[in-house]
Amino acid sequence: METFHDILLAFVAILPVVNPFSKPPIFLSITEGLTPDKQRKQAFKACLYAFLILIVSLLAGTFILAFFSITLPALQIAGGLLIARTGFQMLNPQKEHHQSLHEEQEARDKDDISFVPLAMPLLSGPGSIAVMINLATDATVLIDWLVIALAAAGVCIITYFVLVQSLRLVKILGVNGMNALSKLMGFLLLSLAIQFIINGASSAIIHLVATLNAAS
């Protein structure tokens, strides 16, 4: 049960930042004109790419931090601020980031839009990568890595089904329903961001106090 609980916690951390429920309108827009079969193939490849990006971020995260001499508190604060910005945008759908007309037209003209812009940056953008790196810093044994990877896989599987059922979801939920889901994800994301900032600030203060005490 403890492993299941850990998977659930990691899942809850990853799901809001990937936020698949806000993607159907964008997905329908940039795949307009494609057959349902081609839409499914694009959705599958996008979710597969997104999963691979998340896993690479998970595995390489600690090495990236060490290479650039970035401390965990710095990552938590920077990642928290970045995720908080996204959360605020999701809580205010009128100002939420969507693709520009130029970006949408460019996506429509491409034969394969599964990697760019679907997987990157729509599904696995900077916020998702920051969350995975932060989760990686808490992983100490193999089971920890597997738990986070399973959570990421679960999010990507849900995302695939959401994208495949985009047209049906938009019709059933409508604009208000999609906005409500987006706001719920935004609230969870903002809460996660604040917790990141609190953890980072607390660690930085504790380290500063310890350094001052050692110097005195």
Side-chain angles (χ1 to χ4, degrees), residues 15 29 62 70 79 103 111 114-115 135 147 152 156 160 183 189 204:
L15 180 64
S29 176
T62 52
I70 300 173
E103 290 172 327
D111 294 329
S114 58
F115 187 77
L135 290 174
V147 162
C156 290
Y160 168 73
K183 286 184 177 181
L189 197 58

Side-chain angles (χ1 to χ4, degrees), residues 120-141:
M120 172 71 78
L122 291 179
L123 297 180
S124 53
S128 305
I129 293 173
V131 168
M132 294 303 291
I133 295 176
N134 186 73
L135 290 174
T137 58
D138 293 328
T140 55
V141 294

Side-chain angles (χ1 to χ4, degrees), residues 168-179:
R168 183 175 299 178
L169 285 172
V170 171
K171 286 182 177 179
I172 293 175
L173 297 176
V175 175
N176 291 333
M178 298 302 295
N179 285 344

Side-chain angles (χ1 to χ4, degrees), residues 18-186:
V18 174
N19 190 20
F21 304 107
S22 69
K23 304 304 186 291
I26 303 175
F27 179 73
L28 291 175
S29 176
I30 62 179
T31 59
E32 185 180 5
L34 296 182
T35 63
D37 183 58
K38 288 185 177 180
Q39 285 182 328
R40 283 192 294 270
K41 288 180 179 179
Q42 291 293 299
F44 176 79
K45 290 173 64 177
C47 292
L48 179 60
Y49 287 141
F51 175 71
L52 293 176
I53 292 171
L54 294 177
I55 293 303
V56 169
S57 302
L58 174 67
L59 298 178
T62 52
F63 297 103
I64 293 173
L65 294 180
F67 181 80
F68 289 102
S69 299
I70 300 173
T71 64
L72 176 58
L75 171 73
Q76 289 174 323
I77 294 173
L81 292 173
L82 176 64
I83 297 170
R85 177 178 177 272
T86 303
F88 275 120
Q89 290 176 332
M90 290 165 60
L91 287 171
N92 187 1
Q94 290 77 16
K95 295 183 179 180
E96 185 181 351
H97 172 70
H98 292 288
Q99 289 189 306
S100 67
L101 293 177
H102 175 73
E103 290 172 327
E104 287 189 7
Q105 185 59 49
E106 183 179 346
R108 290 194 191 99
D109 293 339
K110 293 179 63 176
D111 294 329
D112 190 338
I113 46 89
S114 58
F115 187 77
V116 178
L118 280 180
M120 172 71 78
L122 291 179
L123 297 180
S124 53
S128 305
I129 293 173
V131 168
M132 294 303 291
I133 295 176
N134 186 73
L135 290 174
T137 58
D138 293 328
T140 55
V141 294
L142 179 61
I143 188 63
D144 294 335
W145 302 93
L146 292 177
V147 162
I148 301 170
L150 285 174
V155 170
C156 290
I157 290 172
I158 290 176
T159 302
Y160 168 73
F161 285 108
V162 169
L163 293 180
V164 168
Q165 298 297 325
S166 290
L167 184 58
R168 183 175 299 178
L169 285 172
V170 171
K171 286 182 177 179
I172 293 175
L173 297 176
V175 175
N176 291 333
M178 298 302 295
N179 285 344
L181 279 177
S182 182
K183 286 184 177 181
L184 176 60
M185 292 294 103

